[in-house]
Amino acid sequence: MERPAAEPGAQPRANGCSGAAHGALRNGYVRGLPAPDTQIHHIVHNGGLYKKPFNEAFEETPMLVAVLTYVGYGVLTLFGYLRDFLRQWKIEKCQNATEREEQKDFVPLYQDFENFYTRNLYMRIRDSWNRPICSVPGAKVDMMERVSHDYNWTFMYTGRVIKDIINMGSYNYLGFAQNTGACQEAAAKVLSQYGAGVCSTRQEMGNLDKHEELEKLIARFLGVESAMAYGMGFATNSMNIPALVGKGCLILSDELNHASLVLGARLSGATIRIFKHNNMQSLEKLLKDAIVHGQPRTRRPWKKILILVEGIYSMEGSIVRLPEVIALKKKYKSYLYLDEAHSIGALGPSGRGVVEYFGLNPEDVDVMMGTFTKSFGAAGGYIGGKKELIDYLRTYSHSAVYAASLSPPVVEQIITSMKCIMGEDGSTFGKECVQQLAENTRYFRRRLKEMGFIIYGNEDSPVVPLMLYMPAKIGAFGREMLKRNIGVVVVGFPATPIIESRARFCLSAAHTKEILDTSLC
Amino acid sequence: MAAAVGVGQQWVLVEMVQAFYEAPAYHLILEGILILWIIRLLFSKTYKLQERSDLTPKEKEELIEEWQPEPLVPPVSKDHPALNYNIVSGPPTHKITVNDKECINFASFNFLGLLDNEKVKNAAQASLKKYGVGTCGPRGFYGTFDVHLELEERLAKFMRTEEAIIYSYGFATIASAIPAYSKRGDIVFVDEAACFAIQKGLQASRSNIKLFKHNDMVDLERLLKEQESEDQKNPRKARVTRRFIVVEGLYMNTGDVCPLPELIKLKYKYKVRIFLEESLSFGVLGEHGRGITEHFGINIDDIDLISANMENSLASIGGFCCGRSFVIDHQRLSGQGYCFSASLPPLLAAAAIEALNIMEDNPDIFQTLQGKCKRIHRALQGISGLKLVGESFSPALHLQLEESCGSRENDVKLLKRVVDY
């Protein structure tokens, strides 16, 4: 994926906003002047670690928009208190479920304040989430229509199905979520042969020959010595980090790491320190301080230091600065745990993830973790690395000992799709998908920037967050897009900081140019 | 516009200077002294109470050079028993091919034999043709399929509760359900023999954990009484700390059931909520397979939350929680394994629905299962040197050595020889 050589000439474009359009207010997005505020990172000064320009842009929130957002939330909070007051005095009907009569004198299960946000703000726009679909989650989906007569407290399904909604919400990066084709046929065969479930843990009778085949294939795909597969991506993180580090070790994790990484780090019992998102100076400072000062009170040296980063951060769309992280890791003798949940299959000229995107050696990363849910259209997670690491995990990982292994048709889907991406099934379908995804990404981002929206994240990441900021816009955007038959994902607090709510587009190789054009207009 | 701002600033300055002239003298002198004092404080050298030697950069470099971390993983011996997995070729049903040797399968949790059932497989095939394999998203973002909603409704109806919620992995079910309700500062009373998933859930919840001896209601009551007397010392805190009892229907580690009727009595006496984990007893105990509540004939509304995984009797993958809407609805926003993880593949959900259909249509398979369990239990009783642990109607039994050989390693080796034979 080489950039065209016209890069220096196109400098104003790479600055995050094209200079051609004026500061016209479009849909209320105040587009300020980009130059002073945006943080553009051109890595020429970093000593040639990066082979390609690394363009990330996180425009600062314009001041007016921030103020208006706070005002909006303030109004909503006031109304929330008012409604609570009315509900308490029974002037308004209380519509959420209540405690049993016999258990009324028990300690209340939920504090009133915990659910304040849920009751008052979330309920208003609840129809943007949990939308049920009834077809394969490809480029277009069919959605079940639902209406609510009491302002989203309950939903009723009308029984009608809205067909052919453009799907910009599912994590279907390479378009493998299909119900026809080679993958599906292979999975069907395995299903009739092996059954759907496994009914046993990995260490007991759950290790089918299919699992062995899968693990060898993963190791070949990633370029590591060996690999191990687990039944659930979330569980992979939360059960293997405790097996690797324990008390007396240090974990340095990025600010915006996923809940599974945070849970795994907490369960391990190690000390956790957080560095600012993708900020290498902050990481280096923490590393230096940690080694020099040792453990907090006893001053003994740390047993191990583990750095937890993700390949692509799903809420920001940013890519980790892997060359710098690896340089730091080597200098300070720590270990690197890379979570490629979103980036495997989506980045890199042949889809092998962020390590290939930067042109680095996969053996530099100590633990490469990823999931099969996003690009491979299946479920589950994997960990790849050196043979000693994987052997150790086979014996000590909580998941291998206590949790069920992958289901056989899912395994078959992963095997077929991985072979397809690697090109081993004889066609170039995999390569075409990867290239199509890259083209779609570039095209979509460029068009959105031209239209004047504020987009976060790296130029090459297929996750495109579009900033919305105002709470009212979250609901309105979701509903308006649905009216035009486009399904998007809107995210607000608490997954993002309170003033930075956004709509997130997930591009896919299955999207053709026409689909993208329709959604842009 | 710049000029207007300038004039405005000047105007304010003029006012300031005027105020300066009109102020009383003592005011000015006081302010002057204050300013001089501040300047002195700012520029004076601060002295530290203790002599602290800050490390020079060179010393820091040396420390960094010297530091040697442990290897990422400790080396594992080559003949560790868990390292060489048994490779199973073919479906793990009643007859299973392990390491190319055909054996009768006593090791899978395939209690109702639904793993190889044709109807279940056909339902899964139909779903595969319609939806593909994966769901490509968590439940909140276009990962909710109509099969998920249908499965939740069917489970709720089957268990006769208001609502049910599905997780995509059995282990994650109870490990996400407990931290959703019990936070730091709450108190949980747990049986000693609770399974690993419960232990992880408790660890993630950061609550105070009080263990009571396995199935020992006297011990539990003692702990509850202690808690009550502590509450009386601090009633304000007691009003907000939640209390839970977490038990399993059929314990995986020992094979016996929990005494549920006594637990219910304790619940109302001491006002604690009960979370019941029914992974092994769902689809096994009770007339219709509804689990331990049916086995003991208890009203299911008395239990606050029932959690089970579908990997044992239902021969699928995943787990579910069921109970009243008041309790279950909370997990839709705060259950970590629900919100932050992809949803269950639809073919597995369809397989589970079909398995539920079979369970509802043929209630006599539960009797068959129990009869077989009793037979095996009787047959295994008389072996010398080995002790059978577990209830007679439990499908999961433990064979323990009557006397230990002395060291744990020898015990494990002996048991392995028994297994390998």
Side-chain angles (χ1 to χ4, degrees), chain A residues 1 173 346 431-447 459-460 462 507-509 511-513 516:
Chain A
M1 287 193 290
Y173 296 134
K431 242 181 155 9
E432 285 167 17
C433 280
V434 176
Q435 277 167 355
Q436 175 78 22
L437 177 65
E439 275 178 37
N440 284 354
T441 312
R442 278 203 298 259
Y443 176 68
F444 196 72
R445 276 182 176 261
R446 189 167 55 85
R447 286 291 303 276
E459 289 280 323
D460 287 323
L507 298 167
S508 154
H511 288 140
T512 59
K513 200 143 180 303
L516 290 180

PDB file of all heavy atoms in Angstrom, chain A residues 1 173 346 431-447 459-460 462 507-509 511-513 516:
ATOM      1  N   MET A   1       0.852  -1.194   0.000  1.00  0.00           N
ATOM      2  CA  MET A   1       0.000   0.000   0.000  1.00  0.00           C
ATOM      3  C   MET A   1       0.880   1.233   0.000  1.00  0.00           C
ATOM      4  O   MET A   1       1.059   1.871   1.026  1.00  0.00           O
ATOM      5  CB  MET A   1      -0.874  -0.007   1.260  1.00  0.00           C
ATOM      6  CG  MET A   1      -1.971  -1.014   1.205  1.00  0.00           C
ATOM      7  SD  MET A   1      -3.128  -0.709   2.505  1.00  0.00           S
ATOM      8  CE  MET A   1      -2.178  -1.177   3.913  1.00  0.00           C
ATOM      9  N   TYR A 173     -14.537  -6.744   8.416  1.00  0.00           N
ATOM     10  CA  TYR A 173     -13.546  -6.031   7.629  1.00  0.00           C
ATOM     11  C   TYR A 173     -13.241  -6.668   6.290  1.00  0.00           C
ATOM     12  O   TYR A 173     -13.118  -5.982   5.295  1.00  0.00           O
ATOM     13  CB  TYR A 173     -12.240  -5.903   8.400  1.00  0.00           C
ATOM     14  CG  TYR A 173     -12.378  -5.080   9.644  1.00  0.00           C
ATOM     15  CD1 TYR A 173     -11.842  -5.493  10.835  1.00  0.00           C
ATOM     16  CD2 TYR A 173     -13.055  -3.874   9.623  1.00  0.00           C
ATOM     17  CE1 TYR A 173     -11.973  -4.745  11.971  1.00  0.00           C
ATOM     18  CE2 TYR A 173     -13.197  -3.130  10.753  1.00  0.00           C
ATOM     19  CZ  TYR A 173     -12.644  -3.560  11.921  1.00  0.00           C
ATOM     20  OH  TYR A 173     -12.777  -2.833  13.053  1.00  0.00           O
ATOM     21  N   ALA A 346      -6.958  -6.815   8.701  1.00  0.00           N
ATOM     22  CA  ALA A 346      -7.386  -5.530   8.166  1.00  0.00           C
ATOM     23  C   ALA A 346      -6.230  -4.649   7.743  1.00  0.00           C
ATOM     24  O   ALA A 346      -6.390  -3.757   6.936  1.00  0.00           O
ATOM     25  CB  ALA A 346      -8.231  -4.802   9.210  1.00  0.00           C
ATOM     26  N   LYS A 431      -6.407 -11.836  -1.283  1.00  0.00           N
ATOM     27  CA  LYS A 431      -5.611 -10.637  -1.539  1.00  0.00           C
ATOM     28  C   LYS A 431      -6.482  -9.505  -2.048  1.00  0.00           C
ATOM     29  O   LYS A 431      -6.300  -8.347  -1.686  1.00  0.00           O
ATOM     30  CB  LYS A 431      -4.540 -10.962  -2.586  1.00  0.00           C
ATOM     31  CG  LYS A 431      -3.154 -10.794  -2.023  1.00  0.00           C
ATOM     32  CD  LYS A 431      -2.107 -11.091  -3.023  1.00  0.00           C
ATOM     33  CE  LYS A 431      -0.799 -10.390  -2.734  1.00  0.00           C
ATOM     34  NZ  LYS A 431      -0.623  -9.714  -1.526  1.00  0.00           N
ATOM     35  N   GLU A 432      -7.453  -9.878  -2.894  1.00  0.00           N
ATOM     36  CA  GLU A 432      -8.317  -8.830  -3.415  1.00  0.00           C
ATOM     37  C   GLU A 432      -9.102  -8.178  -2.302  1.00  0.00           C
ATOM     38  O   GLU A 432      -9.282  -6.963  -2.275  1.00  0.00           O
ATOM     39  CB  GLU A 432      -9.295  -9.424  -4.438  1.00  0.00           C
ATOM     40  CG  GLU A 432      -8.662  -9.743  -5.749  1.00  0.00           C
ATOM     41  CD  GLU A 432      -9.595 -10.607  -6.574  1.00  0.00           C
ATOM     42  OE1 GLU A 432     -10.798 -10.667  -6.251  1.00  0.00           O
ATOM     43  OE2 GLU A 432      -9.109 -11.231  -7.513  1.00  0.00           O
ATOM     44  N   CYS A 433      -9.563  -9.005  -1.359  1.00  0.00           N
ATOM     45  CA  CYS A 433     -10.326  -8.438  -0.247  1.00  0.00           C
ATOM     46  C   CYS A 433      -9.492  -7.452   0.534  1.00  0.00           C
ATOM     47  O   CYS A 433      -9.949  -6.360   0.874  1.00  0.00           O
ATOM     48  CB  CYS A 433     -10.769  -9.556   0.719  1.00  0.00           C
ATOM     49  SG  CYS A 433     -12.182 -10.417   0.145  1.00  0.00           S
ATOM     50  N   VAL A 434      -8.243  -7.818   0.800  1.00  0.00           N
ATOM     51  CA  VAL A 434      -7.404  -6.929   1.596  1.00  0.00           C
ATOM     52  C   VAL A 434      -7.189  -5.618   0.868  1.00  0.00           C
ATOM     53  O   VAL A 434      -7.274  -4.521   1.437  1.00  0.00           O
ATOM     54  CB  VAL A 434      -6.056  -7.620   1.897  1.00  0.00           C
ATOM     55  CG1 VAL A 434      -5.147  -6.683   2.617  1.00  0.00           C
ATOM     56  CG2 VAL A 434      -6.267  -8.853   2.721  1.00  0.00           C
ATOM     57  N   GLN A 435      -6.955  -5.735  -0.446  1.00  0.00           N
ATOM     58  CA  GLN A 435      -6.729  -4.500  -1.197  1.00  0.00           C
ATOM     59  C   GLN A 435      -7.987  -3.661  -1.276  1.00  0.00           C
ATOM     60  O   GLN A 435      -7.942  -2.430  -1.185  1.00  0.00           O
ATOM     61  CB  GLN A 435      -6.247  -4.831  -2.595  1.00  0.00           C
ATOM     62  CG  GLN A 435      -4.774  -5.089  -2.620  1.00  0.00           C
ATOM     63  CD  GLN A 435      -4.358  -5.713  -3.911  1.00  0.00           C
ATOM     64  OE1 GLN A 435      -5.188  -6.035  -4.753  1.00  0.00           O
ATOM     65  NE2 GLN A 435      -3.085  -5.897  -4.080  1.00  0.00           N
ATOM     66  N   GLN A 436      -9.107  -4.345  -1.442  1.00  0.00           N
ATOM     67  CA  GLN A 436     -10.373  -3.606  -1.530  1.00  0.00           C
ATOM     68  C   GLN A 436     -10.627  -2.842  -0.243  1.00  0.00           C
ATOM     69  O   GLN A 436     -11.072  -1.701  -0.256  1.00  0.00           O
ATOM     70  CB  GLN A 436     -11.509  -4.618  -1.777  1.00  0.00           C
ATOM     71  CG  GLN A 436     -12.884  -4.039  -1.786  1.00  0.00           C
ATOM     72  CD  GLN A 436     -13.191  -3.334  -3.072  1.00  0.00           C
ATOM     73  OE1 GLN A 436     -12.561  -3.617  -4.082  1.00  0.00           O
ATOM     74  NE2 GLN A 436     -14.109  -2.414  -3.038  1.00  0.00           N
ATOM     75  N   LEU A 437     -10.325  -3.494   0.881  1.00  0.00           N
ATOM     76  CA  LEU A 437     -10.526  -2.823   2.163  1.00  0.00           C
ATOM     77  C   LEU A 437      -9.662  -1.577   2.262  1.00  0.00           C
ATOM     78  O   LEU A 437     -10.114  -0.513   2.688  1.00  0.00           O
ATOM     79  CB  LEU A 437     -10.203  -3.790   3.308  1.00  0.00           C
ATOM     80  CG  LEU A 437     -10.300  -3.187   4.683  1.00  0.00           C
ATOM     81  CD1 LEU A 437     -11.707  -2.789   4.991  1.00  0.00           C
ATOM     82  CD2 LEU A 437      -9.812  -4.161   5.726  1.00  0.00           C
ATOM     83  N   ALA A 438      -8.400  -1.693   1.825  1.00  0.00           N
ATOM     84  CA  ALA A 438      -7.512  -0.535   1.923  1.00  0.00           C
ATOM     85  C   ALA A 438      -8.017   0.611   1.053  1.00  0.00           C
ATOM     86  O   ALA A 438      -8.033   1.777   1.460  1.00  0.00           O
ATOM     87  CB  ALA A 438      -6.103  -0.936   1.512  1.00  0.00           C
ATOM     88  N   GLU A 439      -8.476   0.254  -0.149  1.00  0.00           N
ATOM     89  CA  GLU A 439      -8.987   1.308  -1.030  1.00  0.00           C
ATOM     90  C   GLU A 439     -10.210   1.960  -0.442  1.00  0.00           C
ATOM     91  O   GLU A 439     -10.362   3.182  -0.460  1.00  0.00           O
ATOM     92  CB  GLU A 439      -9.380   0.698  -2.373  1.00  0.00           C
ATOM     93  CG  GLU A 439      -8.241   0.572  -3.322  1.00  0.00           C
ATOM     94  CD  GLU A 439      -8.730  -0.094  -4.593  1.00  0.00           C
ATOM     95  OE1 GLU A 439      -9.876   0.194  -4.998  1.00  0.00           O
ATOM     96  OE2 GLU A 439      -7.982  -0.899  -5.130  1.00  0.00           O
ATOM     97  N   ASN A 440     -11.122   1.108   0.063  1.00  0.00           N
ATOM     98  CA  ASN A 440     -12.344   1.661   0.659  1.00  0.00           C
ATOM     99  C   ASN A 440     -12.011   2.618   1.777  1.00  0.00           C
ATOM    100  O   ASN A 440     -12.604   3.693   1.915  1.00  0.00           O
ATOM    101  CB  ASN A 440     -13.226   0.534   1.215  1.00  0.00           C
ATOM    102  CG  ASN A 440     -13.942  -0.211   0.130  1.00  0.00           C
ATOM    103  OD1 ASN A 440     -13.872   0.161  -1.016  1.00  0.00           O
ATOM    104  ND2 ASN A 440     -14.626  -1.260   0.507  1.00  0.00           N
ATOM    105  N   THR A 441     -11.041   2.212   2.614  1.00  0.00           N
ATOM    106  CA  THR A 441     -10.676   3.050   3.757  1.00  0.00           C
ATOM    107  C   THR A 441     -10.218   4.415   3.289  1.00  0.00           C
ATOM    108  O   THR A 441     -10.695   5.449   3.753  1.00  0.00           O
ATOM    109  CB  THR A 441      -9.530   2.403   4.539  1.00  0.00           C
ATOM    110  OG1 THR A 441      -9.821   1.063   4.757  1.00  0.00           O
ATOM    111  CG2 THR A 441      -9.309   3.110   5.840  1.00  0.00           C
ATOM    112  N   ARG A 442      -9.299   4.388   2.347  1.00  0.00           N
ATOM    113  CA  ARG A 442      -8.726   5.678   1.927  1.00  0.00           C
ATOM    114  C   ARG A 442      -9.802   6.556   1.300  1.00  0.00           C
ATOM    115  O   ARG A 442      -9.899   7.748   1.592  1.00  0.00           O
ATOM    116  CB  ARG A 442      -7.599   5.442   0.937  1.00  0.00           C
ATOM    117  CG  ARG A 442      -6.300   5.104   1.594  1.00  0.00           C
ATOM    118  CD  ARG A 442      -5.162   5.411   0.703  1.00  0.00           C
ATOM    119  NE  ARG A 442      -5.235   4.615  -0.513  1.00  0.00           N
ATOM    120  CZ  ARG A 442      -4.514   3.539  -0.725  1.00  0.00           C
ATOM    121  NH1 ARG A 442      -3.669   3.135   0.153  1.00  0.00           N
ATOM    122  NH2 ARG A 442      -4.644   2.875  -1.847  1.00  0.00           N
ATOM    123  N   TYR A 443     -10.599   5.933   0.447  1.00  0.00           N
ATOM    124  CA  TYR A 443     -11.617   6.706  -0.260  1.00  0.00           C
ATOM    125  C   TYR A 443     -12.605   7.305   0.718  1.00  0.00           C
ATOM    126  O   TYR A 443     -12.925   8.493   0.670  1.00  0.00           O
ATOM    127  CB  TYR A 443     -12.322   5.772  -1.238  1.00  0.00           C
ATOM    128  CG  TYR A 443     -13.464   6.408  -1.975  1.00  0.00           C
ATOM    129  CD1 TYR A 443     -13.233   7.400  -2.905  1.00  0.00           C
ATOM    130  CD2 TYR A 443     -14.762   6.020  -1.731  1.00  0.00           C
ATOM    131  CE1 TYR A 443     -14.270   7.983  -3.571  1.00  0.00           C
ATOM    132  CE2 TYR A 443     -15.803   6.606  -2.399  1.00  0.00           C
ATOM    133  CZ  TYR A 443     -15.553   7.580  -3.325  1.00  0.00           C
ATOM    134  OH  TYR A 443     -16.597   8.154  -3.979  1.00  0.00           O
ATOM    135  N   PHE A 444     -13.084   6.483   1.637  1.00  0.00           N
ATOM    136  CA  PHE A 444     -14.108   6.930   2.567  1.00  0.00           C
ATOM    137  C   PHE A 444     -13.594   8.070   3.431  1.00  0.00           C
ATOM    138  O   PHE A 444     -14.263   9.091   3.628  1.00  0.00           O
ATOM    139  CB  PHE A 444     -14.527   5.737   3.428  1.00  0.00           C
ATOM    140  CG  PHE A 444     -15.800   5.930   4.156  1.00  0.00           C
ATOM    141  CD1 PHE A 444     -16.999   5.926   3.491  1.00  0.00           C
ATOM    142  CD2 PHE A 444     -15.806   6.106   5.524  1.00  0.00           C
ATOM    143  CE1 PHE A 444     -18.178   6.096   4.161  1.00  0.00           C
ATOM    144  CE2 PHE A 444     -16.987   6.266   6.206  1.00  0.00           C
ATOM    145  CZ  PHE A 444     -18.168   6.259   5.522  1.00  0.00           C
ATOM    146  N   ARG A 445     -12.391   7.891   3.936  1.00  0.00           N
ATOM    147  CA  ARG A 445     -11.854   8.932   4.822  1.00  0.00           C
ATOM    148  C   ARG A 445     -11.651  10.229   4.066  1.00  0.00           C
ATOM    149  O   ARG A 445     -11.936  11.310   4.572  1.00  0.00           O
ATOM    150  CB  ARG A 445     -10.523   8.462   5.399  1.00  0.00           C
ATOM    151  CG  ARG A 445     -10.731   7.595   6.602  1.00  0.00           C
ATOM    152  CD  ARG A 445      -9.429   7.176   7.191  1.00  0.00           C
ATOM    153  NE  ARG A 445      -9.693   6.423   8.388  1.00  0.00           N
ATOM    154  CZ  ARG A 445      -9.631   6.911   9.601  1.00  0.00           C
ATOM    155  NH1 ARG A 445      -9.302   8.158   9.786  1.00  0.00           N
ATOM    156  NH2 ARG A 445      -9.901   6.156  10.637  1.00  0.00           N
ATOM    157  N   ARG A 446     -11.160  10.100   2.857  1.00  0.00           N
ATOM    158  CA  ARG A 446     -10.905  11.311   2.090  1.00  0.00           C
ATOM    159  C   ARG A 446     -12.201  12.040   1.833  1.00  0.00           C
ATOM    160  O   ARG A 446     -12.297  13.247   2.007  1.00  0.00           O
ATOM    161  CB  ARG A 446     -10.217  10.919   0.784  1.00  0.00           C
ATOM    162  CG  ARG A 446      -9.714  12.085  -0.009  1.00  0.00           C
ATOM    163  CD  ARG A 446      -8.776  11.589  -1.091  1.00  0.00           C
ATOM    164  NE  ARG A 446      -9.402  10.583  -1.934  1.00  0.00           N
ATOM    165  CZ  ARG A 446     -10.168  10.844  -2.980  1.00  0.00           C
ATOM    166  NH1 ARG A 446     -10.423  12.078  -3.318  1.00  0.00           N
ATOM    167  NH2 ARG A 446     -10.693   9.858  -3.684  1.00  0.00           N
ATOM    168  N   ARG A 447     -13.251  11.304   1.446  1.00  0.00           N
ATOM    169  CA  ARG A 447     -14.508  11.960   1.142  1.00  0.00           C
ATOM    170  C   ARG A 447     -15.104  12.605   2.384  1.00  0.00           C
ATOM    171  O   ARG A 447     -15.649  13.690   2.333  1.00  0.00           O
ATOM    172  CB  ARG A 447     -15.491  10.938   0.562  1.00  0.00           C
ATOM    173  CG  ARG A 447     -15.185  10.539  -0.851  1.00  0.00           C
ATOM    174  CD  ARG A 447     -15.431  11.678  -1.788  1.00  0.00           C
ATOM    175  NE  ARG A 447     -16.793  12.167  -1.693  1.00  0.00           N
ATOM    176  CZ  ARG A 447     -17.830  11.650  -2.335  1.00  0.00           C
ATOM    177  NH1 ARG A 447     -17.686  10.610  -3.120  1.00  0.00           N
ATOM    178  NH2 ARG A 447     -19.037  12.179  -2.180  1.00  0.00           N
ATOM    179  N   GLU A 459      -4.926   7.424   9.096  1.00  0.00           N
ATOM    180  CA  GLU A 459      -5.425   7.427   7.731  1.00  0.00           C
ATOM    181  C   GLU A 459      -5.745   6.033   7.221  1.00  0.00           C
ATOM    182  O   GLU A 459      -6.559   5.874   6.335  1.00  0.00           O
ATOM    183  CB  GLU A 459      -4.354   8.020   6.803  1.00  0.00           C
ATOM    184  CG  GLU A 459      -4.143   9.483   6.963  1.00  0.00           C
ATOM    185  CD  GLU A 459      -5.204  10.249   6.236  1.00  0.00           C
ATOM    186  OE1 GLU A 459      -5.607   9.824   5.159  1.00  0.00           O
ATOM    187  OE2 GLU A 459      -5.642  11.269   6.757  1.00  0.00           O
ATOM    188  N   ASP A 460      -5.051   5.046   7.737  1.00  0.00           N
ATOM    189  CA  ASP A 460      -5.201   3.718   7.164  1.00  0.00           C
ATOM    190  C   ASP A 460      -6.100   2.809   7.969  1.00  0.00           C
ATOM    191  O   ASP A 460      -6.198   1.634   7.668  1.00  0.00           O
ATOM    192  CB  ASP A 460      -3.835   3.028   7.078  1.00  0.00           C
ATOM    193  CG  ASP A 460      -2.994   3.617   5.983  1.00  0.00           C
ATOM    194  OD1 ASP A 460      -3.570   3.967   4.948  1.00  0.00           O
ATOM    195  OD2 ASP A 460      -1.785   3.731   6.178  1.00  0.00           O
ATOM    196  N   PRO A 462      -9.423   1.059   9.202  1.00  0.00           N
ATOM    197  CA  PRO A 462     -10.779   0.901   8.674  1.00  0.00           C
ATOM    198  C   PRO A 462     -11.871   1.273   9.666  1.00  0.00           C
ATOM    199  O   PRO A 462     -13.035   1.217   9.332  1.00  0.00           O
ATOM    200  CB  PRO A 462     -10.852  -0.589   8.335  1.00  0.00           C
ATOM    201  CG  PRO A 462      -9.840  -1.214   9.174  1.00  0.00           C
ATOM    202  CD  PRO A 462      -8.759  -0.233   9.411  1.00  0.00           C
ATOM    203  N   LEU A 507     -15.568  -0.050   8.032  1.00  0.00           N
ATOM    204  CA  LEU A 507     -15.581  -0.324   6.604  1.00  0.00           C
ATOM    205  C   LEU A 507     -15.296  -1.785   6.358  1.00  0.00           C
ATOM    206  O   LEU A 507     -14.699  -2.462   7.176  1.00  0.00           O
ATOM    207  CB  LEU A 507     -14.506   0.515   5.931  1.00  0.00           C
ATOM    208  CG  LEU A 507     -14.804   1.987   6.118  1.00  0.00           C
ATOM    209  CD1 LEU A 507     -13.618   2.787   5.742  1.00  0.00           C
ATOM    210  CD2 LEU A 507     -15.977   2.359   5.274  1.00  0.00           C
ATOM    211  N   SER A 508     -15.700  -2.229   5.203  1.00  0.00           N
ATOM    212  CA  SER A 508     -15.536  -3.646   4.935  1.00  0.00           C
ATOM    213  C   SER A 508     -15.163  -3.816   3.490  1.00  0.00           C
ATOM    214  O   SER A 508     -15.475  -2.991   2.644  1.00  0.00           O
ATOM    215  CB  SER A 508     -16.845  -4.351   5.269  1.00  0.00           C
ATOM    216  OG  SER A 508     -16.965  -5.508   4.531  1.00  0.00           O
ATOM    217  N   ALA A 509     -14.492  -4.922   3.226  1.00  0.00           N
ATOM    218  CA  ALA A 509     -14.142  -5.188   1.836  1.00  0.00           C
ATOM    219  C   ALA A 509     -15.371  -5.487   1.016  1.00  0.00           C
ATOM    220  O   ALA A 509     -15.349  -5.396  -0.197  1.00  0.00           O
ATOM    221  CB  ALA A 509     -13.183  -6.369   1.774  1.00  0.00           C
ATOM    222  N   HIS A 511     -17.986  -3.764   0.979  1.00  0.00           N
ATOM    223  CA  HIS A 511     -18.648  -2.545   0.514  1.00  0.00           C
ATOM    224  C   HIS A 511     -18.114  -2.170  -0.841  1.00  0.00           C
ATOM    225  O   HIS A 511     -16.918  -2.010  -1.036  1.00  0.00           O
ATOM    226  CB  HIS A 511     -18.331  -1.387   1.463  1.00  0.00           C
ATOM    227  CG  HIS A 511     -19.028  -1.495   2.768  1.00  0.00           C
ATOM    228  ND1 HIS A 511     -18.429  -1.170   3.943  1.00  0.00           N
ATOM    229  CD2 HIS A 511     -20.272  -1.887   3.095  1.00  0.00           C
ATOM    230  CE1 HIS A 511     -19.275  -1.350   4.918  1.00  0.00           C
ATOM    231  NE2 HIS A 511     -20.393  -1.787   4.446  1.00  0.00           N
ATOM    232  N   THR A 512     -18.981  -2.004  -1.787  1.00  0.00           N
ATOM    233  CA  THR A 512     -18.501  -1.526  -3.080  1.00  0.00           C
ATOM    234  C   THR A 512     -18.560  -0.019  -3.094  1.00  0.00           C
ATOM    235  O   THR A 512     -19.089   0.613  -2.194  1.00  0.00           O
ATOM    236  CB  THR A 512     -19.391  -2.058  -4.209  1.00  0.00           C
ATOM    237  OG1 THR A 512     -20.717  -1.608  -3.957  1.00  0.00           O
ATOM    238  CG2 THR A 512     -19.357  -3.552  -4.242  1.00  0.00           C
ATOM    239  N   LYS A 513     -18.027   0.549  -4.150  1.00  0.00           N
ATOM    240  CA  LYS A 513     -17.940   2.000  -4.212  1.00  0.00           C
ATOM    241  C   LYS A 513     -19.326   2.623  -4.205  1.00  0.00           C
ATOM    242  O   LYS A 513     -19.534   3.672  -3.619  1.00  0.00           O
ATOM    243  CB  LYS A 513     -17.168   2.385  -5.469  1.00  0.00           C
ATOM    244  CG  LYS A 513     -16.586   3.745  -5.443  1.00  0.00           C
ATOM    245  CD  LYS A 513     -15.224   3.747  -6.132  1.00  0.00           C
ATOM    246  CE  LYS A 513     -14.633   5.136  -6.110  1.00  0.00           C
ATOM    247  NZ  LYS A 513     -15.477   6.145  -6.718  1.00  0.00           N
ATOM    248  N   LEU A 516     -20.617   2.902  -0.764  1.00  0.00           N
ATOM    249  CA  LEU A 516     -19.986   3.981  -0.011  1.00  0.00           C
ATOM    250  C   LEU A 516     -20.534   5.329  -0.454  1.00  0.00           C
ATOM    251  O   LEU A 516     -20.783   6.210   0.353  1.00  0.00           O
ATOM    252  CB  LEU A 516     -18.474   3.951  -0.223  1.00  0.00           C
ATOM    253  CG  LEU A 516     -17.742   2.785   0.419  1.00  0.00           C
ATOM    254  CD1 LEU A 516     -16.272   2.878   0.126  1.00  0.00           C
ATOM    255  CD2 LEU A 516     -17.979   2.763   1.904  1.00  0.00           C
TER     256      LEU A 516
END
